[in-house]
Amino acid sequence: MSLITVSQLHTAFPRCKSPDVWAAALIPALEKYNINSKARIASFLGQIAHESGQFNTLQENLSYTAARLMQVWPKRFPTLEFAQQFERNPQKLGSYVYANRIGNGPASSGDGYKYRGRGLIQLTGRSNYASASAVLGVDLLTMPDRLLEAPLASMSAAWFWASHGLNELADDETDDNDLEDFTTITKIINGGTAGIKERFQLFKAAESAIA
């Protein structure tokens, strides 16, 4: 019996344009990384559905107005004049905001843009790309766009999930608080709690679909 079916994926995430493609790509990833219970699968699918706009967007959007940059990164863009230098310039923005972190070099290296969020879980940063490369046997450092392919997008997301202990957090215990654990999972994936309400709704939609 499949861990996820095309019908279940379509029911949970009606905006997904290619549930057949994603079901085929997800099944091997779920199996390989032991995302194999209802609680684990629903939690995983809810998170990656949020990160990917229900499996339709596999690359981070770095095109912002100056005003929006000040809202998203208030400490990095304290003035409108400074933010305007990065307005609607994804390469310059990515290189700047992700510089000198997650294994990236300085802004001048371009690492921040090259290793921007990709895949179903928005894998970000040279160090994460390097780790995924070693595990998946694909050179993502020289071919980062391989993460836009459904099989690798799925496998990299499942690897990240399992390697960060998220299966265990997702395990459903009777005296456990679903939202509390889900919030912890969100912080590990996102670094904060952005979109927590939608993430939880998608988790519940997946849970219902695979009942």
Side-chain angles (χ1 to χ4, degrees):
M1 184 177 175
S2 294
L3 292 173
I4 188 71
T5 67
V6 175
S7 176
Q8 289 169 337
L9 209 56
H10 176 70
T11 299
F13 312 115
R15 284 175 45 212
C16 177
K17 296 174 183 175
S18 305
D20 53 336
V21 171
W22 286 109
L26 284 164
I27 290 168
L30 296 174
E31 291 174 345
K32 181 175 177 66
Y33 288 100
N34 297 315
I35 306 172
N36 51 16
S37 68
K38 178 180 174 180
R40 290 181 179 189
I41 295 169
S43 239
F44 176 69
L45 291 179
Q47 289 286 354
I48 62 175
H50 173 82
E51 292 289 338
S52 64
Q54 296 193 28
F55 302 90
N56 297 316
T57 304
L58 300 183
Q59 191 163 214
E60 184 178 8
N61 175 21
L62 289 170
S63 181
Y64 292 91
T65 63
R68 182 61 181 153
L69 286 173
M70 294 176 69
Q71 292 175 342
V72 177
W73 289 287
K75 291 181 180 179
R76 292 178 179 272
F77 299 99
T79 68
L80 185 64
E81 183 180 11
F82 182 66
Q84 285 172 337
Q85 299 176 47
F86 299 85
E87 188 169 42
R88 302 298 185 197
N89 191 332
Q91 188 163 353
K92 186 174 182 180
L93 176 62
S95 296
Y96 170 65
V97 296
Y98 292 132
N100 301 309
R101 47 190 294 238
I102 340 172
N104 294 334
S108 58
S109 72
D111 282 353
Y113 179 72
K114 185 174 183 180
Y115 304 116
R116 63 193 179 278
R118 287 186 183 86
L120 287 176
I121 213 160
Q122 293 292 291
L123 199 69
T124 306
R126 173 183 273 272
S127 59
N128 282 321
Y129 276 64
S131 296
S133 293
V135 171
L136 302 178
V138 178
D139 187 359
L140 297 172
L141 290 175
T142 57
M143 299 179 290
D145 281 342
R146 290 291 306 276
L147 285 173
L148 305 181
E149 300 169 11
L152 276 174
S154 301
M155 201 62 77
S156 62
W159 159 75
F160 182 94
W161 178 272
S163 67
H164 285 76
L166 303 186
N167 273 331
E168 291 72 20
L169 279 171
D171 286 337
D172 190 19
E173 303 294 340
T174 52
D175 60 348
D176 220 5
N177 184 316
D178 275 356
L179 184 56
E180 183 179 331
D181 286 342
F182 199 77
T183 300
T184 302
I185 290 170
T186 300
K187 288 178 179 177
I188 291 170
I189 293 171
N190 174 257
T193 57
I196 185 68
K197 184 177 179 182
E198 187 199 41
R199 291 172 194 267
F200 196 70
Q201 289 171 342
L202 291 169
F203 157 57
K204 287 298 183 183
E207 193 176 51
S208 297
I210 61 179

